[in-house]
Amino acid sequence: MRIYNTLTRRKEEFIPLEKGKVKMYACGITVSGEAHIGHGYQALIYDIMRKYLEKKGYSVTYARNYTDIDDKIIAKSKETGIPADKYAADMIKKIDKVMAEMDVDDPSLWLKATKNIGNIIKFIQRLIDSGHAYAAKCGDVYFSVSSFKRYGCLSNRSVEDMLDGVRVENNDEKREPADFALWKAAKEGEISWDSPWGKGRPGWHIECSAMNMAAFGEQIDIHGGGRDLIFPHHENEIAQTESLTGKQFAKYWTHNGLIKVNGQKMSKSLGNSLLLEDLLEKYTNEAIKFALLQNNYRNDINITVELFPEAERHLTDFYNVIKAVEDKFGKGSKPSAEIDEKFNADMDEDFNTALALSELFGLFKAVSAKLAKGDVSAADDVAQIRKTYSLLGLFKKDAAEYLAEVSAKNPADIPEDIKELAEKRWQAKLARDWASADKLRAELDEKGYVIKDAKDNYTVIKK
C-alpha cells in the first residue's frame, strides 16, 4: 500500500510507527458557520481512509477536532449577540446532524480546543521554557520561527517566500514578522481563560499540536486536512511539536484538494458556498459521495450544474440493475474475490477512489448481461459490489427505497396524471377504501409506476 506524502512530495509505502496500529489525525471544522460541501468532502475522505486501513487489518485510532474558539467565532458572537461558547456548541450540533445525514461516521476521538485549554497552556509554557517561544508584555505569546531551522519543510518554501504577499500583523512586540501567536491576550468582552500570561485564548495553530500530544503522545502516523492548511497551519504544527520533542511529528502528511464552483474557488465573499444541508435536500447522500469520489482526493473538484445530477443518474441506473437482479434471483451468497481484489488494488494506490469507481461501469454491464441470460451468479456479483463499495458509502440501501428517495427528491420527473392517481390512491387508503386503493395501485402498475408507502406519506417511482 502506498500513500502520497506531502512532506516528501512522493508516494511511499505505508509502514506505521507501531506494527498493526495506526494513529491518525485530521483537522476538522472551525465552527463559525454551517457545514459546506468542502467540509463534507474532507470528512468523507478521512472517514474512507480510516475504514480502508481497518479493512487492511490495522487497528486505527482516528482523531478529529472542532475549532470551537477563534477570531471568526468571536466575530459571529458579537454579530448575533450569542455568547461565543454557546454559538460554537449550537453550530456543532447542526454540523453533527448534517454529517449524520451525509452518513459520515464519527472518529474514534472528538477533540475540541475549549476542552483542552490546560493542555494548550502546558504546551506553550514548555515552548517558552525551551526558548522556542516568548511572552510579550501585552499578554500575547509568540512562537519564534527562527528557532526552528526546518521551518518551511512541508510547504517547501523559505520564510521570505512565505511572507511575500502575505499580510503580517504589525506588532512592535513581535521579534520577527514571521513569528505567530500561540496565545492571544483577551480584549474587552471576549471569552477568555486564565493563564500565566494573563487572561486570553489559544491561537489557532497551537490547539492541534497540544491535542495531538494529549491524545497520542509525541508522534502520529498520518496527519491530514485540506491542501489550504499546508501553510501556515500544518507548517506551524510541525514547528511547535518538533521543537518540543525533537522527533518527527507525523510520518505521513496527506492533503485533499479544494472545492471550486464553476471554476472559481468556493468562498463566502464570492457568494458561491454550497451548504451540505441544501445539497442533501436535492440529492441522495450516495449521489453526493459518488460525484466527489470520482475525483482523486488530492485534486481540486470543480462543481458544475451537472456534477450531482449526473452522479444521481449513474447511481439510479446501477440501483435499477441491483433491483432487477435481487427481484429475480434474491440475495447472492457466494463472494466474488475478483471484484474485491481489484477494488483493493485501486485503493492501495493512494486511496484511488476515482479508479475504483470507474470499475463500476464495467461491473454493472457484466451483471446486466448475466441477468439477461438468466445467470444466477449475477446475484453473487451484486452482493459483492454492495459489500465492497459500502466502504465508500455506496449501495448500502434497499434498491426500491433508494429509487423512491431519488423520486421523492425529483418529483418533477413524475408526470402530473401519475401524481394525481397516486394522490387519489393515498386518499382512498386514508379513508380505508381498500378496494379503490387497490384498483388505483393496479392502474399505476399498468402505467409503469410503483407506490412506496411510508408511515405518514408515500413516494411514487417509475419501474
Side-chain angles (χ1 to χ4, degrees):
M1 179 179 177
R2 301 199 304 163
I3 297 179
Y4 183 85
N5 190 349
T6 306
L7 185 65
T8 59
R9 288 167 285 283
R10 66 173 183 266
K11 289 182 183 177
E12 299 177 354
E13 182 183 359
F14 179 67
I15 304 173
L17 294 165
E18 183 179 352
K19 186 176 180 180
K21 295 183 179 181
V22 176
K23 293 184 287 187
M24 174 176 162
Y25 180 92
C27 290
I29 302 174
T30 298
V31 294
S32 56
E34 296 185 44
H36 55 62
I37 187 61
H39 296 139
Y41 179 52
Q42 195 252 30
L44 173 64
I45 288 299
Y46 288 97
D47 184 38
I48 287 171
M49 285 188 183
R50 180 262 297 269
K51 287 174 178 172
Y52 188 66
L53 288 165
E54 289 175 339
K55 183 180 183 181
K56 297 286 289 185
Y58 294 106
S59 174
V60 181
T61 304
Y62 168 39
R64 187 173 177 81
N65 80 303
Y66 272 130
T67 295
D68 56 349
I69 182 63
D70 85 328
D71 293 341
K72 293 179 181 178
I73 293 170
I74 289 173
K76 282 289 187 180
S77 171
K78 291 178 180 178
E79 177 186 324
T80 61
I82 302 171
D85 54 350
K86 185 178 188 310
Y87 179 90
D90 290 346
M91 196 57 64
I92 287 172
K93 287 180 182 177
K94 289 183 179 180
I95 294 170
D96 283 346
K97 181 175 181 293
V98 78
M99 287 298 180
E101 291 172 5
M102 184 68 175
D103 192 27
V104 174
D105 289 347
D106 284 337
S108 316
L109 301 171
W110 268 122
L111 306 175
K112 296 176 183 175
T114 59
K115 300 298 183 183
N116 281 271
I117 299 298
N119 292 325
I120 291 168
I121 290 173
K122 289 176 185 177
F123 199 108
I124 294 172
Q125 187 60 60
R126 290 178 65 191
L127 285 172
I128 293 173
D129 294 343
S130 62
H132 291 287
Y134 57 93
K137 293 180 181 177
C138 64
D140 293 341
V141 180
Y142 293 98
F143 182 86
S144 174
V145 167
S146 63
S147 74
F148 184 66
K149 302 307 178 186
R150 292 181 59 243
Y151 195 80
C153 61
L154 185 65
S155 57
N156 199 31
R157 292 184 292 175
S158 67
V159 173
E160 291 74 19
D161 289 339
M162 294 176 193
L163 292 176
D164 185 29
V166 176
R167 182 179 66 84
V168 178
E169 293 180 9
N170 294 319
N171 189 321
D172 293 337
E173 296 197 47
K174 287 174 68 172
R175 294 176 184 172
E176 299 291 340
D179 293 352
F180 57 88
L182 302 174
W183 187 261
K184 295 185 176 184
K187 296 176 183 177
E188 187 176 352
E190 288 185 354
I191 187 171
S192 62
W193 290 265
D194 291 327
S195 81
W197 321 286
K199 285 187 174 294
R201 58 186 172 85
W204 175 33
H205 312 298
I206 190 63
E207 64 177 85
C208 288
S209 288
M211 289 190 294
N212 262 291
M213 182 77 75
F216 293 120
E218 296 180 339
Q219 294 180 289
I220 61 174
D221 295 286
I222 298 174
H223 196 313
R227 196 175 63 243
D228 55 331
L229 298 183
I230 294 175
F231 179 81
H233 187 52
H234 288 166
E235 196 75 74
N236 291 351
E237 280 192 62
I238 290 175
Q240 294 162 162
T241 304
E242 296 188 8
S243 290
L244 204 61
T245 67
K247 300 176 182 178
Q248 184 179 33
F249 173 29
K251 190 173 182 181
Y252 304 92
W253 286 87
T254 61
H255 294 91
N256 62 276
L258 307 179
I259 300 289
K260 295 182 178 180
V261 179
N262 295 318
Q264 289 185 304
K265 180 181 177 181
M266 189 177 70
S267 69
K268 289 183 180 178
S269 61
L270 293 174
N272 62 355
S273 292
L274 299 174
L275 294 183
L276 201 52
E277 183 179 22
D278 293 341
L279 286 170
L280 286 164
E281 287 183 2
K282 297 179 181 179
Y283 310 105
T284 65
N285 60 33
E286 292 197 14
I288 295 171
K289 292 176 184 180
F290 189 91
L292 298 176
L293 297 175
Q294 289 180 92
N295 184 76
N296 182 292
Y297 81 90
R298 290 189 286 115
N299 296 336
D300 291 345
I301 297 176
N302 185 34
I303 295 179
T304 63
V305 69
E306 272 299 302
L307 180 66
F308 297 115
E310 183 180 32
E312 195 83 270
R313 286 193 292 272
H314 287 317
L315 273 178
T316 298
D317 289 344
F318 294 153
Y319 264 109
N320 274 319
V321 174
I322 290 172
K323 185 176 185 303
V325 169
E326 292 180 343
D327 284 351
K328 186 169 184 177
F329 300 124
K331 307 286 186 181
S333 58
K334 297 178 182 178
S336 176
E338 184 179 352
I339 292 173
D340 202 55
E341 287 169 2
K342 187 66 179 71
F343 175 87
N344 292 346
D346 294 339
M347 292 292 285
D348 278 347
E349 196 59 32
D350 194 31
F351 308 102
N352 197 335
T353 60
L355 187 55
L357 289 188
S358 71
E359 312 284 358
L360 285 171
F361 296 92
L363 287 173
F364 276 101
K365 184 177 180 180
V367 168
S368 295
K370 287 185 176 182
L371 175 64
K373 294 177 182 178
D375 186 345
V376 71
S377 69
D380 295 328
D381 290 347
V382 164
Q384 187 62 63
I385 290 170
R386 278 188 176 279
K387 182 178 180 181
T388 295
Y389 283 84
S390 67
L391 190 143
L392 304 184
L394 303 177
F395 310 121
K396 296 174 69 175
K397 301 177 182 178
D398 174 80
E401 289 179 1
Y402 180 85
L403 295 170
E405 183 182 355
V406 172
S407 180
K409 290 178 184 290
N410 299 278
D413 294 340
I414 305 298
E416 287 299 323
D417 62 325
I418 299 299
K419 290 180 187 177
E420 289 176 9
L421 281 174
E423 182 60 21
K424 286 181 180 178
R425 182 259 168 196
W426 178 252
Q427 293 302 325
K429 182 182 177 184
L430 292 179
R432 296 182 177 273
D433 183 357
W434 308 120
S436 295
D438 289 344
K439 182 179 178 181
L440 289 163
R441 179 190 283 275
E443 189 175 346
L444 284 164
D445 185 72
E446 287 177 3
K447 291 178 180 290
Y449 291 86
V450 176
I451 290 286
K452 184 78 174 179
D453 287 332
K455 182 179 179 181
D456 299 312
N457 56 27
Y458 68 95
T459 53
V460 55
I461 61 174
K462 189 173 179 62
K463 290 198 291 185

